[in-house]
Amino acid sequence: MMKESFETIRMEGDDLILLDQRRLPSSMEYIRAKTVDDVYRAIKDMAVRGAPLIGSTAGYGVYFAAKESRSKEEFLKKCTFLASARPTAVNLMWAVDRMKRTAFEYDFSLEKLLKEADRIKEEDIETNHALSIYGSSLLEKGSTVLTHCNAGALATSGWGTALGVIKQAFLDGRIKHVYADETRPRLQGARLTAFELVDFKIPSTLIPDSVAATLIRDKRIDAIIVGADRIALNGDTANKIGTFSLSVVAKAYGVPMYIAAPISTIDFNTRSGKDIPIEERDKSEVIDPLDNGMLIAPEGMDVYNPSFDVTPHENITAIITEKGIIEEPFEENIRKLKECCCSHT
């Protein structure tokens, strides 16, 4: 099986080594995290991004929290701090809660906590491969697909979700070409998805976000595949800003819209997208998107910069998970999934 040429996360001695995604594609640099504060900052500042990878990184963050804490109260305070780094990505809270349960069950054994963090990372990779096989089966031979933002190996511990589906479908002969949105304002599509597509040698084209509607209208897109940062009980999905508008155009022109995400991204306690908190980020991301001092708008301009939007379930064709494909009625089928996967609640 083909594999990406890079690694996003690994432990090296007592340090967590993380690929600094702010530097891609210009350079491949790694940062060392040794403390809870280091992990928080890596997630908050988007050196690490993508819901599954945020979850894996947070697992090691809780391990550091246990190493640093002298009491249960201090440990819980550090966990709460860590979980606040990115409020929309539910995998962050999911991983923190899972590690907290391990800490309480095994009396804060550092050995057990490190093994659990390793397990979260390895499960992520296994999950991505499983959902990619399910997702590939949805596509016709020779399809042209569109993706938004980055939901590949760079957004996970390895392989990827939406881009994992695309890679598997390419290997299966089901994809002939991929269009990748630039994904403003942080350009994750241009910097990261394009990097992965070139690395995997998949025929692909980078487009400005505003080109997608024209391609869909002109029947040049057979399917849209994106990831997710949180999926509500009714199937409403929070993903990178711009996903909602894609879903509206796709529905108008009869193009299937697929969400690829692990079950850990489903928030069974959130009834609908109206209840999903949407992170608003600093205006510097819009006026200085490359963080190099070359402003594309005056500093005095007001900016509205939500990092995510919510795609309503009625605009979604199917949700691809490691346990299979979820279709309408989403809430009924997600509840069934909850019953058989209660460990993820």
Side-chain angles (χ1 to χ4, degrees):
M1 178 177 289
M2 293 181 68
K3 188 179 180 182
E4 51 272 0
S5 63
F6 53 86
E7 191 175 18
T8 56
I9 181 172
R10 71 176 186 274
M11 283 295 289
E12 189 175 281
D14 293 329
D15 298 347
L16 180 62
I17 310 300
L18 300 165
L19 179 60
D20 188 346
Q21 301 191 29
R22 299 167 298 186
R23 308 302 177 195
L24 291 170
S26 300
S27 62
M28 190 171 291
E29 301 176 25
Y30 287 84
I31 58 177
R32 288 181 179 268
K34 303 171 180 285
T35 66
V36 173
D37 284 351
D38 290 342
V39 173
Y40 173 90
R41 187 52 55 193
I43 295 171
K44 181 71 173 178
D45 292 349
M46 293 180 69
V48 168
R49 29 72 52 203
L53 182 57
I54 287 172
S56 295
T57 304
Y60 291 104
V62 176
Y63 165 70
F64 290 146
K67 287 180 68 176
E68 297 169 15
S69 298
R70 290 169 292 183
S71 67
K72 179 180 177 180
E73 290 71 26
E74 184 180 1
F75 171 75
L76 290 173
K77 185 176 180 180
K78 288 179 180 292
C79 288
T80 299
F81 169 69
L82 181 61
S84 70
R86 297 292 303 273
T88 303
V90 74
N91 294 67
L92 172 57
M93 285 68 84
W94 170 83
V96 170
D97 287 344
R98 175 169 166 175
M99 290 292 290
K100 282 163 58 178
R101 289 195 298 270
T102 299
F104 299 150
E105 182 178 356
Y106 293 101
D107 195 24
F108 294 87
S109 165
L110 294 179
E111 180 183 2
K112 292 289 187 181
L113 282 166
L114 182 57
K115 285 184 178 179
E116 188 69 7
D118 288 340
R119 191 174 295 114
I120 289 172
K121 184 185 77 167
E122 294 306 317
E123 285 178 4
D124 180 24
I125 299 171
E126 293 167 4
T127 289
N128 296 338
H129 281 289
L131 71 81
S132 294
I133 292 170
Y134 282 116
S136 176
S137 70
L138 293 171
L139 300 174
E140 300 290 337
K141 294 284 186 180
S143 292
T144 295
V145 303
L146 172 71
T147 191
H148 185 68
C149 197
N150 174 261
L154 290 168
T156 67
S157 304
W159 191 251
T161 55
L163 205 53
V165 172
I166 288 170
K167 289 191 286 188
Q168 185 63 54
F170 174 69
L171 294 175
D172 293 343
R174 296 179 181 273
I175 282 182
K176 68 177 181 181
H177 200 86
V178 177
Y179 284 96
D181 284 345
E182 282 183 306
T183 317
R184 295 191 180 265
R186 291 298 292 263
L187 300 170
Q188 292 100 322
R191 295 188 304 104
L192 306 178
T193 296
F195 174 84
E196 291 200 50
L197 290 168
V198 170
D199 186 63
F200 214 75
K201 297 179 173 58
I202 298 177
S204 52
T205 301
L206 179 66
I207 59 171
D209 293 2
S210 50
V211 172
T214 300
L215 291 175
I216 294 168
R217 181 201 63 190
D218 293 348
K219 302 186 186 305
R220 295 172 62 181
I221 303 297
D222 298 306
I224 299 171
I225 308 173
V226 299
D229 286 83
R230 186 183 299 214
I231 300 171
L233 187 61
N234 71 341
D236 292 351
T237 297
N239 192 51
K240 180 64 185 177
I241 192 76
T243 305
F244 166 60
S245 56
L246 275 180
S247 77
V248 172
V249 180
K251 186 175 183 180
Y253 288 95
V255 174
M257 180 86 179
Y258 297 121
I259 306 297
I263 293 170
S264 58
T265 303
I266 300 175
D267 185 351
F268 296 107
N269 297 314
T270 295
R271 180 64 185 271
S272 75
K274 295 178 181 179
D275 302 315
I276 297 176
I278 299 298
E279 175 186 3
E280 185 174 350
R281 296 185 61 82
D282 192 83
K283 74 175 189 178
S284 63
E285 296 183 349
V286 177
I287 65 174
D288 184 12
L290 297 181
D291 195 25
N292 61 1
M294 298 293 291
L295 304 186
I296 64 171
E299 284 186 326
M301 185 66 184
D302 190 27
V303 171
Y304 177 49
N305 183 26
S307 193
F308 308 95
D309 56 26
V310 175
T311 298
H313 64 273
E314 54 264 32
N315 289 6
I316 296 170
T317 306
I319 299 170
I320 305 162
T321 79
E322 70 271 29
K323 297 296 184 182
I325 310 298
I326 305 173
E327 297 176 318
E328 288 278 18
F330 285 113
E331 183 163 347
E332 178 181 332
N333 289 327
I334 287 174
R335 286 187 183 277
K336 290 178 181 176
L337 189 68
K338 180 182 179 180
E339 292 173 4
C340 70
C341 305
C342 59
S343 62
H344 293 276
T345 59

